[in-house]
Amino acid sequence: MKVLIVYYSTYGHIHKMAEAIAEGVNQVEGAEAVMRRVPETLPEEVLEKMGALDAQKTISHVPVCTIDELAAADAVIFGTPTRFGNMCGQMRQFLDATGSLWAEGALVGKVGSVFTSSATQHGGQESTILSFHVSLLHHGFVIAGLPYSFQGQMGIDEVKGGSPYGASTIAGGSGERMPSEIELEAARFQGKHVAEIAKKLKA
């Protein structure tokens, strides 16, 4: 059983969360996590001005996802930074190229899930995940989030991401904050949760 983790990461925060998602997937017997990134749409000189070029190079070993890989997977977990309360442009462009899969109904019945990051605590994490769900529903995905059985999203003892919609992290205004351990635990839980649901559906 294959769980595809498809993401875009500007400064490495979503990449780190994706690694934790993969760890959770691989905890489920018979499940295999496959990490893929979506194509970059910004030219190198723009990435350099953004201070993102070095971070992009550190994840360049992750293969770029193809549309066919979505159809071959049993579940897909998408990761995107928030852009004004919505998915990033790179992810939007990738999804806009899936019309042929929609026409074939190739993704109907697969488990779909989303995780995200934002610069600030209230930077649109929930709206990004919820608006992403619209695309998944049009494709016929069975949507899974991060249930409250993950107790780490409860409590007010520390600033943290995570909601019943999906795992998330807070990056800071200049990307100085990497995912905390509780946020990585949320990502692992979500990965395992999705894999368990996909395994039941496949059976």
Side-chain angles (χ1 to χ4, degrees):
M1 189 187 69
K2 193 166 289 187
V3 178
L4 192 62
I5 304 163
V6 183
Y7 65 96
Y8 177 78
S9 186
T10 310
Y11 298 104
H13 300 81
I14 287 291
H15 173 71
K16 199 162 183 63
M17 292 286 280
E19 289 180 325
I21 292 268
E23 289 172 15
V25 169
N26 290 330
Q27 289 175 16
V28 177
E29 186 179 354
E32 176 194 1
V34 178
M35 289 176 60
R36 294 288 186 268
R37 56 192 174 92
V38 299
E40 180 57 80
T41 59
L42 295 174
E44 208 167 89
E45 55 268 25
V46 173
L47 291 170
E48 190 169 11
K49 287 178 182 176
M50 292 170 60
L53 197 54
D54 288 342
Q56 291 288 302
K57 288 177 179 176
T58 63
I59 64 173
S60 60
H61 65 283
V62 179
V64 172
C65 190
T66 66
I67 299 303
D68 291 341
E69 287 179 291
L70 293 175
D74 297 290
V76 187
I77 307 176
F78 297 90
T80 175
T82 182
R83 295 288 186 266
F84 306 108
N86 212 320
M87 71 179 75
C88 66
Q90 291 87 342
M91 182 63 73
R92 180 71 266 161
Q93 183 161 319
F94 177 76
L95 290 177
D96 283 348
T98 60
S100 61
L101 298 181
W102 173 82
E104 298 165 7
L107 305 180
V108 174
K110 297 181 187 293
V111 185
S113 196
V114 185
F115 62 102
T116 190
S117 69
S118 64
T120 62
Q121 191 175 357
H122 304 289
Q125 294 183 357
E126 293 184 354
S127 63
T128 295
I129 293 175
L130 288 171
S131 59
F132 203 124
H133 285 169
V134 174
S135 295
L136 301 189
L137 288 167
H138 275 262
H139 270 298
F141 277 99
V142 177
I143 293 175
L146 180 67
Y148 278 114
S149 49
F150 174 67
Q151 290 290 302
Q153 64 182 297
M154 305 293 283
I156 55 171
D157 53 318
E158 63 178 282
V159 174
K160 58 192 172 187
S163 72
Y165 314 117
S168 59
T169 186
I170 303 161
S174 56
E176 71 276 12
R177 181 185 183 275
M178 292 306 286
S180 66
E181 185 49 42
I182 196 71
E183 290 167 339
L184 294 173
E185 281 181 26
R188 292 184 196 103
F189 190 103
Q190 186 171 345
K192 184 179 180 182
H193 179 61
V194 169
E196 286 173 340
I197 294 171
K199 185 176 182 178
K200 289 175 184 176
L201 289 176
K202 193 176 176 69

